[in-house]
Amino acid sequence: MSNLKILVVEDEEAIREMLVMVLEQANLTVIAVGSAEQARESLADNMVDLIILDWMLPGISGVELARRLKNEPGYKELPIILLTARGEEEDKIRGLEIGADDYVTKPFSPKELIARIKAVMRRSGKLSESGQLSVGDLTLDAEQHKLTIAGRSLEVSPTEFRLMQFFMTNPDKVYSRTHLLDQVWGRSVYIEERTVDVHIRRLRKILAEYGREELIQTVRGFGYRFSMAN
Amino acid sequence: MSNLKILVVEDEEAIREMLVMVLEQANLTVIAVGSAEQARESLADNMVDLIILDWMLPGISGVELARRLKNEPGYKELPIILLTARGEEEDKIRGLEIGADDYVTKPFSPKELIARIKAVMRRSGKLSESGQLSVGDLTLDAEQHKLTIAGRSLEVSPTEFRLMQFFMTNPDKVYSRTHLLDQVWGRSVYIEERTVDVHIRRLRKILAEYGREELIQTVRGFGYRFSMAN
DNA sequence: GCGCTATATTACCGTTTTGTGACAAAAAAA
DNA sequence: TTTTTTTGTCACAAAACGGTAATATAGCGC
């Protein structure tokens, strides 16, 4: 779950520190602020992947901030987890109505919080498939950001790494160039379809050094497939 | 602050987990139980260096357990930190009268808790601060603030030392410049991301004198990684 | 084989990212 | 105080990355 940035909005310092520690422990990048106003500033400067928002805040309350964000086009998709005092059942309902993606009650268990973050991230498709992916003797470790074949590490560029990550997460299926562009490059960029060929070529070249170029197969008329089976 | 064993007595699971995480993060060994009775059993089996005790417990309360322990010859010297709900000022006084060594209010800040534990440990002379980290033939001694490679000591500046300390504590993982800044420099300090590069460079230069510059690896597009493996 | 299309391969080159030395301010030491 | 060390920033150099286009090759129906 690396490389995700979380914005924590909590006015009480002890709890804020607690949150920061728990989140950093879980390998997340954290920005912590104490009010809705500061949260706004942070959002303007930083792209964050999720907000953890205290229900009660001085000035503009957490619920209010959540409600507003969920009505703004730019932040509609930004997952929000609300932090509420224990047992306020109506709060939970109201929070979810407003559009919060989940909520956690104080005091919170670190495990639970992390689990909920993961769940929300997974739902919004932001979870970058943590841990180790293995296909045959190929291993991709997201944490180390390292790709190895039979223990020897491969030198791949960032884009190649992401492409490989995608392939290893979805093996044995054909993907069109368009689909690959969407998934690996991101929906918002327009790039020539042919560019995919070039990156496939680069990956194959690297794999070929270990006699594994057949891992990435061409499916004429459709696209490419990553598979152990020939 | 390693090699110290802490017994946590707290009935509420969320808070118990929280405590465990915070303490383990601080390199302490933790045993966590949910009641005074279980605490008794644990004490019979394990030698612990400090107890963190919730004021309110089902059955025999925390205060009561503290009072009893402080009257038993075998446990008289065992430091106890009481956990109380916020703002119960009389509790504090009563707690200290009973013989508790310190108290912390919920919700607690991780930093504060660790600081108080350290203080209590120091007072009772248990703080040995034998923080030795070793990775390969690299050794970092937190106590002496000394970094040695195969016995020969390296001349590193304070910041470089902390950076190295962080890396050696978290090997084999990529960290972004932002993450490193947060962890090594501390959040709330605004420093150019590229400054990290410079410090990495300085560390590498020192390591290079011993042919070990490859210990710190660049992961293009992501950050840096400390690892023995190539 | 021929013609057509899809894919492979290569080279190019602007852009981005990282490395590096120098410098000055700040902090620490003397 | 003066001197020395430490540290953050900058500017430029070096390296790498990544998209494009041009060209070559391969697949396939006829």
Side-chain angles (χ1 to χ4, degrees), chain B residues 2 20 26 60 74 76 78 91 104 111 113 116 145 161 163 176 178 230:
Chain B
S2 327
V20 171
I60 300 168
K76 217 175 186 115
L78 186 53
D91 281 7
V104 171
K111 278 185 204 161
L113 180 62
R116 288 191 186 275
H145 218 265
F161 187 84
L163 183 55
S176 68
T178 310
N230 79 75

Side-chain angles (χ1 to χ4, degrees), chain A residues 177 194 198 201 204 218 220-221 224:
Chain A
R177 293 173 175 73
R194 297 266 122 236
V198 178
R201 151 96 177 107
R204 278 178 175 159
T218 303
R220 202 183 162 77
Y224 298 95

Side-chain angles (χ1 to χ4, degrees), chain B residues 6-215:
Chain B
I6 313 271
L7 174 64
V8 168
V9 192
E10 161 69 61
D11 60 316
E12 203 170 338
E13 194 182 337
I15 298 178
R16 197 167 63 230
E17 279 181 29
M18 193 98 261
L19 285 163
V20 171
M21 162 160 291
V22 170
L23 298 175
E24 285 184 343
Q25 170 83 359
N27 241 310
L28 295 157
T29 304
V30 187
I31 301 168
V33 300
S35 72
E37 290 77 6
Q38 289 175 298
R40 276 293 190 188
E41 287 173 33
S42 269
L43 283 173
D45 298 343
N46 301 282
M47 188 46 209
V48 304
D49 300 293
L50 184 146
I51 304 185
I52 294 179
L53 191 54
D54 188 25
W55 184 277
M56 292 285 295
L57 285 175
I60 300 168
S61 79
V63 226
E64 182 54 21
L65 178 59
R67 200 186 55 72
R68 292 190 196 174
L69 287 176
K70 283 296 180 185
N71 281 322
E72 288 176 33
Y75 298 116
K76 217 175 186 115
E77 299 302 320
L78 186 53
I80 296 180
I81 293 181
L82 280 173
L83 263 184
T84 75
R86 175 169 25 203
E88 311 283 343
E89 198 59 24
E90 320 113 56
D91 281 7
K92 175 184 176 179
I93 294 162
R94 208 177 129 213
L96 296 178
E97 263 172 16
I98 278 166
D101 297 84
D102 204 346
Y103 87 113
V104 171
T105 55
K106 294 191 270 192
F108 57 92
S109 129
K111 278 185 204 161
E112 186 196 347
L113 180 62
I114 297 300
R116 288 191 186 275
I117 290 176
K118 272 194 185 169
V120 169
M121 293 299 214
R122 199 169 295 119
R123 248 180 281 154
S124 70
K126 285 192 178 175
L127 196 55
S128 56
E129 278 297 352
S130 66
Q132 276 226 346
L133 277 171
S134 285
V135 177
D137 58 354
L138 249 190
T139 303
L140 183 148
D141 190 313
E143 186 186 356
Q144 297 189 50
H145 218 265
K146 205 169 188 186
L147 184 64
T148 57
I149 191 163
R152 289 166 297 178
S153 74
L154 303 187
E155 300 272 316
V156 293
S157 77
T159 309
E160 276 136 45
F161 187 84
R162 288 202 311 281
L163 183 55
M164 205 56 189
Q165 190 168 27
F166 176 77
F167 272 138
M168 291 180 69
T169 324
N170 311 76
D172 301 315
K173 282 187 192 170
V174 201
Y175 289 99
S176 68
R177 292 173 173 74
T178 310
H179 209 125
L180 289 172
L181 281 174
D182 283 355
Q183 298 286 307
V184 178
W185 277 256
R187 61 186 38 262
S188 81
V189 200
Y190 296 104
I191 289 181
E192 282 297 317
E193 285 210 345
R194 297 300 311 281
T195 298
V196 175
D197 298 35
V198 178
H199 282 274
I200 291 283
R201 149 106 176 96
R202 287 169 181 161
L203 262 183
R204 277 179 176 161
K205 209 170 185 176
I206 293 164
L207 289 171
E209 292 170 23
Y210 300 85
R212 293 296 169 75
E213 69 272 34
E214 80 285 355
L215 282 176

